[in-house]
Amino acid sequence: MTGPLLQLSDAFTSAGGLIFAFAAVTAVAGVFVAYQAFRGYRRNGSRPMLYLAVGIVLLTAVPVGVNSALTALTAATDAEIVLAVTAAHLAGVLSILYSLTRA
């Protein structure tokens, strides 16, 4: 019996499907890590953990949501979408930086 052990559906054989799958996994993993940081904030009242949680969400889940929403719901250009995603990344990095240095 010879044949492929795993057959991918047509949706995930294209580059777009793989990109979506990786983006979804990244968002879910980011939300899970941020939830763990938020639990640390609630347990200890540690402000740095709160800013860390916010930063992780802004780096992982928000860009995926912004990209998906702007692509599906508006006529935004690629440049506008990249600008919005980059703004979310910048806000996430600044939040994490603040959590490590000032909070």
Side-chain angles (χ1 to χ4, degrees), residues 20-83:
F20 177 78
F22 281 117
V25 169
T26 299
V28 169
V31 168
F32 177 73
V33 171
Y35 174 71
Q36 295 300 320
F38 184 73
R39 283 184 52 208
Y41 161 72
R42 282 193 325 194
R43 186 172 41 248
N44 301 318
S46 172
R47 281 187 48 185
M49 291 301 283
L50 176 62
Y51 285 102
L52 179 64
V54 169
I56 291 170
V57 166
L58 286 169
L59 277 174
T60 58
V62 170
V64 173
V66 165
N67 186 10
S68 299
L70 289 178
T71 301
L73 302 176
T74 68
T77 65
D78 287 343
E80 293 167 338
I81 293 171
V82 168
L83 179 63

